Amino acid sequence: MEKDAKMFWTGLSPDEAREALVNKDKSMRDKRMTLKEAVSEFVNAGDNVGIGGFVNVRQPIAIIHEIIRKGFKDLILSFHSAGMAPELLAGAMMVRPDHCSIKRIELAYWGHEGFGLSQAWRYLAERGMIEFEDWSNYNMSARFKAGAMGLPFIPTRGPLGGDICNTSRTKVIDCPFTGRPIGLLPASNPNVGLIHVQAADMYGNCIIRGTDATCAEIAMASAHTIVTCEQLVSHELLVTNPKDIMIPFPAVDAVVKVPFGAYPGACRRHYYFNSDHILEFLGLIAPICKGGSSDALKAWYDEFIFGVESFEDYIDKFQTKKLFADQAAESYNCERLA
Amino acid sequence: MTVSTDYTAQEIIVVAGAKVLENNKIVFVGTGLPMVATLLAIHTHAPGLIPVFEAGAVGPPLKHGLPTSVGDSKTFTGASYLKGLNSAFELTQRGFADFGFIGGAEVDMYGNLNSTMMGDYPEGYLKPKVRLPGSGGASDMAASCDRTILIVPHDKKKFNEKLSYMTSPGHLDGSPDARYKAGMQGKGPYRLITTKGIFDFEEKTKRMRLISIFPGETVESIQAATGFELLIADNVTQFAAPTAEEVRMIREEVDPLGIFVKRAAK
């Protein structure tokens, strides 16, 4: 097949991704640091950022807060289905365009399922404020997988037949073995992966409960990965059953213990959705889309992100009773003895 | 059985959707009303139905109630298999999913769905009139499940000859073997459930065909709410109104919080 002038890589090309990993210090060393340190070191202007989790489940919300606090410029967001993570970034762009900007999004779905549509997505897209490229969920998870496999592309059936083939970098070829059409998707190798997990050790080995989403693939595909965890445990405990380890330490560059790090989203075994808080936040964005004032949204960011030093301070703003209730709701979903 | 006198449009969709599902089959369930219908089917005639959710859960018993998300913790507990998105879609691509159950915002006569954008395409793709959430896993289910069940609220503006954007391929242009020629697997759209009735896709032309009419509607009223010419089956049935018990189950057991089935304004 001929080279296509329309083909381009966002994040790292396969060769650059290989080179980045070859040159990386892969030693088994203590990678604990603060979120401020991690974000300052690994998230840069123009980066392609791979966002872990699935919709509002185990999204790296604490890392997103820190990125907003620091400010971000021209980020490219890559995810399959996401909710509050892009919503928070986009809301920050709406109230502080000088401080925060998204350049491009490669995605399958941006919304909140049972909590409703993303008004920020509508706001940015309908005003032509960002570039974007639609894929399907499988397309995006397969693109990360190709990146993790060290391959430049992966074949899938997912995009065939519809317009995703026409608006994305998909190439449809005749399969050299069957002769039937097959879709080829370019690998995604983000500059940095953002992942929240249930447990990690100080080297970056991670255990994930509930859905794996595509977190391992994102971590393995990215040049760097920041991990936040509910529990930071000893290496010996973490490797009790080595097959439990979903992300191996050489794929991780920063480990930060952040309880409630996916809140107000849910985290298997730890807490269920704080739907009130999600709906309250979405309710602040909706009026702006209809031409209303952004004062209330600005006030939200001033109170919950710009006005605090850390994610711990943000969590401190919730009533203990509410945090307990969200933990109890998850205990009901996932009953465990002691 | 007592017939419900106050069921809503969403509730009859859920009841019809549940009835279309067959016991002991694997159904890949999209977010929203498909989840509600699946849970109702499990609670009623299809206790052996095996739901698969794209975040990775296969065959969970769903004993902790309606998931808010296809990645909800409630889908993980008791699942027979649980990994991530790649594994869920790979098993679908392999042929493990008998049915895919998805929704969309716009549909054409061949069961192609749009959940991406409304407006001018391709010129307006990057600045659409209305931006919708995007495919999610719907286009993957459409491409690879053996058959798909679609839910679209019936509205003349949403039943169009030409979609703004084809997110999830159905029978494409209806030509013979169109799906196979495009490289897809599976037989494509099997049933469409709307707020007005149930449709199949006629075997030869692959065109949308009315097979069952919801109470209060007629062939004419349904055609009038559709932006293209419908085929009408020879033996169109009248779909029975939901029973009081079915509606009670939806309101009290399946979706008591009104997560996806919104309560009628009092």
Side-chain angles (χ1 to χ4, degrees):
Chain A
M1 197 163 51
E2 287 176 41
K3 280 191 181 172
D4 184 342
K6 280 191 290 189
M7 184 53 208
F8 54 91
W9 298 101
T10 64
L12 282 71
S13 72
D15 287 346
E16 290 165 348
R18 166 83 192 186
E19 193 65 14
L21 203 55
V22 166
N23 293 332
K24 185 159 129 173
D25 172 7
K26 293 178 280 291
S27 64
M28 202 160 159
R29 61 191 193 282
D30 186 352
K31 294 168 189 163
R32 288 171 297 175
M33 56 180 86
T34 64
L35 262 181
K36 270 194 187 0
E37 290 165 341
V39 166
S40 145
E41 186 164 353
F42 297 113
V43 183
N44 298 300
D47 273 359
N48 183 326
V49 179
I51 298 176
F54 179 84
V55 191
N56 284 318
V57 173
R58 213 168 39 69
Q59 286 234 282
I61 300 299
I63 309 176
I64 296 291
H65 275 228
E66 191 52 46
I67 290 173
I68 294 169
R69 227 180 332 268
K70 180 192 162 204
F72 56 92
K73 197 168 159 40
D74 295 334
L75 289 190
I76 297 172
L77 310 182
S78 294
F79 55 83
H80 36 62
S81 286
M84 284 297 278
E87 201 82 28
L88 286 162
L89 292 168
M93 181 172 167
M94 289 163 72
V95 297
R96 291 280 305 275
D98 55 314
H99 187 67
C100 300
S101 68
I102 301 166
K103 181 181 173 212
R104 173 183 171 88
I105 307 187
E106 301 177 14
L107 82 167
Y109 172 95
W110 177 0
H112 303 272
E113 299 189 76
F115 305 118
L117 299 171
S118 164
Q119 296 298 330
W121 181 205
R122 291 195 57 181
Y123 185 90
L124 297 183
E126 291 167 17
R127 284 163 179 75
M129 291 168 70
I130 50 171
E131 291 170 30
F132 49 86
E133 185 179 42
D134 276 278
W135 298 92
S136 71
N137 272 341
Y138 183 35
N139 291 167
M140 284 306 294
S141 39
R143 292 186 61 214
F144 291 128
K145 185 170 185 167
M149 291 165 81
L151 292 173
F153 68 87
I154 189 165
T156 69
R157 311 241 186 212
L160 294 168
D163 280 321
I164 287 174
C165 288
N166 304 321
T167 53
S168 69
R169 286 166 285 162
T170 303
K171 287 184 188 297
V172 180
I173 63 156
D174 290 334
C175 167
F177 300 102
T178 66
R180 289 184 63 203
I182 188 79
L184 306 185
L185 321 177
S188 175
N189 288 108
N191 299 91
V192 59
L194 313 180
I195 309 288
H196 183 68
V197 301
Q198 278 80 1
D201 67 16
M202 67 178 182
Y203 307 119
N205 292 301
C206 298
I207 289 178
I208 290 174
R209 302 299 187 195
T211 175
D212 300 337
T214 310
C215 292
E217 292 91 330
I218 293 172
M220 301 290 268
S222 298
H224 296 285
T225 298
I226 301 174
V227 161
T228 54
C229 56
E230 295 290 329
Q231 279 186 299
L232 185 69
V233 300
S234 70
H235 175 66
E236 291 67 28
L237 180 62
L238 198 109
V239 300
T240 308
N241 180 356
K243 288 187 75 177
D244 270 355
I245 295 164
M246 186 57 56
I247 302 173
F249 71 89
V252 173
D253 298 270
V255 179
V256 192
K257 181 183 172 181
V258 187
F260 284 92
Y263 202 68
C267 185
R268 174 72 170 174
R269 294 193 181 195
H270 292 265
Y271 41 90
Y272 199 50
F273 306 100
N274 180 341
S275 43
D276 298 341
H277 193 63
I278 293 173
L279 292 170
E280 182 198 326
F281 180 76
L282 298 179
L284 298 175
I285 294 190
I288 304 170
C289 303
K290 294 177 188 127
S293 153
S294 60
D295 292 352
L297 185 65
K298 273 198 188 99
W300 189 95
Y301 278 90
D302 285 341
E303 179 178 0
F304 290 106
I305 297 188
F306 296 123
V308 297
E309 275 298 307
S310 68
F311 196 74
E312 201 176 11
D313 292 343
Y314 163 74
I315 293 298
D316 197 34
K317 290 186 175 286
F318 294 89
Q319 298 239 327
T320 309
K321 263 198 294 196
K322 178 60 184 156
L323 298 176
F324 282 165
D326 292 335
Q327 288 175 326
E330 180 56 14
S331 311
Y332 169 74
N333 294 333
C334 173
E335 195 183 20
R336 288 192 299 154
L337 188 63
Chain B
M1 250 183 281
T2 325
V3 168
S4 166
T5 51
D6 67 343
Y7 66 87
T8 65
Q10 284 187 320
E11 284 164 348
I12 194 169
I13 283 186
V14 167
V15 169
K19 286 184 173 162
V20 167
L21 293 170
E22 295 171 28
N23 200 16
N24 299 320
K25 296 285 189 187
I26 294 186
V27 57
F28 199 119
V29 186
T31 196
L33 293 181
M35 291 204 287
V36 187
T38 298
L39 200 54
L40 181 63
I42 290 171
H43 281 287
T44 53
H45 70 280
L49 187 66
I50 302 144
V52 174
F53 296 95
E54 61 206 83
V58 176
L62 299 176
K63 289 203 172 129
H64 297 85
L66 181 68
T68 297
S69 160
V70 289
D72 193 307
S73 197
K74 294 177 195 298
T75 70
F76 308 150
T77 300
S80 289
Y81 184 67
L82 173 61
K83 295 196 184 300
L85 276 86
N86 273 310
S87 76
F89 290 114
E90 282 162 11
L91 64 85
T92 302
Q93 201 165 248
R94 175 67 185 86
F96 282 102
D98 298 305
F99 291 101
F101 198 176
I102 55 180
E106 188 188 20
V107 65
D108 69 14
M109 68 170 80
Y110 300 112
N112 302 301
L113 288 180
N114 173 16
S115 52
T116 301
M117 59 160 281
M118 303 299 283
D120 295 328
Y121 173 83
E123 308 77 28
Y125 169 66
L126 288 174
K127 198 180 174 188
K129 190 156 160 271
V130 178
R131 178 62 220 202
L132 303 167
S135 162
S139 61
D140 304 306
M141 293 182 229
S144 291
C145 290
D146 192 47
R147 293 184 285 184
T148 49
I149 302 164
L150 321 175
I151 290 180
V152 184
H154 214 123
D155 176 338
K156 192 156 193 169
K157 284 184 218 138
K158 295 174 171 173
F159 280 60
N160 291 321
E161 200 134 327
K162 183 154 181 8
L163 301 178
S164 283
Y165 186 101
M166 193 205 295
T167 312
S168 301
H171 294 295
L172 301 177
D173 63 358
S175 60
D177 298 326
R179 288 177 57 88
Y180 187 84
K181 285 177 188 160
M184 285 185 285
Q185 306 179 108
K187 301 178 188 76
Y190 164 69
R191 291 286 185 273
L192 163 71
I193 299 156
T194 79
T195 37
K196 295 182 182 296
I198 304 177
F199 304 77
D200 71 357
F201 295 84
E202 194 270 326
E203 204 157 320
K204 279 218 176 68
T205 61
K206 305 293 183 195
R207 276 177 56 186
M208 193 184 292
R209 177 170 68 177
L210 178 63
I211 58 171
S212 192
I213 299 179
F214 287 171
E217 299 290 340
T218 61
V219 169
E220 293 71 31
S221 72
I222 295 175
Q223 178 60 70
T226 305
F228 49 82
E229 193 193 342
L230 286 169
L231 300 180
I232 313 296
D234 294 337
N235 49 348
V236 175
T237 60
Q238 296 291 325
F239 189 82
T243 64
E245 174 60 9
E246 285 165 338
V247 170
R248 185 200 65 75
M249 286 183 79
I250 294 171
R251 293 179 189 174
E252 294 176 16
E253 292 173 25
V254 175
D255 190 6
L257 301 176
I259 295 169
F260 294 107
V261 183
K262 301 301 171 200
R263 294 287 175 267
K266 289 259 156 89

